Amino acid sequence: MRIQLLTVPYDSGHYGTRMGGGPDALIASGLPARLSENGHDVRCVEILLPATAFPAEAQSAFALDRLIAERVRDSVAAGALPIVLSGNCISSVGTLGGVAHGRIGIIWFDAHGDFNTPETTIGGFLDGMALAVATGRCWTSVAATIPGFRPVPEPCVLLVGARDLDPAERKLLDASDVTQLPPPRFRALFGSALDDLASRVSEVNLHVDLDVLDPAEGRVNVYAAPDGLRIDEVVSAIEDIGRRFAIRAAALTAYDPAYDGDGRVRAAAARITSSIAGAASLRTPGT
Ligand SMILES: [Mn+2]
């Protein structure tokens, strides 16, 4: 199928540093060639802030989201699957703007909840609020500047693999309608959670923060947390998702190459990307 790899090489507004180095490292490691070998037609598009932009975290993140929304929209209009390679998870809000055309669900793989709000966060990191923004809990005025963005209703969200939550964030999540599938629940209940989601939506945005992986599979970033998912579990989950849903857009985020000395995370990311492309092909006519 046609695939556009949209790279967003920033972390907190800073170009190429920390997790912002992840997208280019994945491209340089041969991700596009691997997808081509699998029979896909691959294009790469880099999304950049104006060179004069001052890197303020929230402002830069939402400026990037506006650009991401436009590129994702163009990509979908061209019949391609947009796969966003981004330093930060907040890119998902731009992606949702680009695909928004009615009812879409989110399947969000992450070690973390990303469900803090400015009132619950104890660290202040915007990425820890990404899913809360996507579901319309906070930053609503600036999120409304993203072309096409509409919050996704919480019953249409699966949070997979999250096990490192702040206390107030956990309370918020527990009181929300987001379906939480931390690793043990994921292993027991993923199939029925997909069936339940399928009663509400037929299309999904598939978001993979690579730190959902167990550190034994390779260390993804400074935020890595123990007791995560094995690569085989993530790949098999993606195949299940592709059998039940049309995957409209996807993302791989939060890869910091500085922690990946042995290249195992890079290899895992390539495998996950290939499985996303294969899973998305199942429900896309003519590919
Ligand atoms: Mn995340």
Side-chain angles (χ1 to χ4, degrees), residues 89 108-110 112 114 127 207 209 211 253-254:
C89 287
W108 188 292
F109 291 77
D110 206 312
H112 310 95
D114 290 5
D127 248 26
H207 181 88
D209 181 326
D211 68 23
T253 66

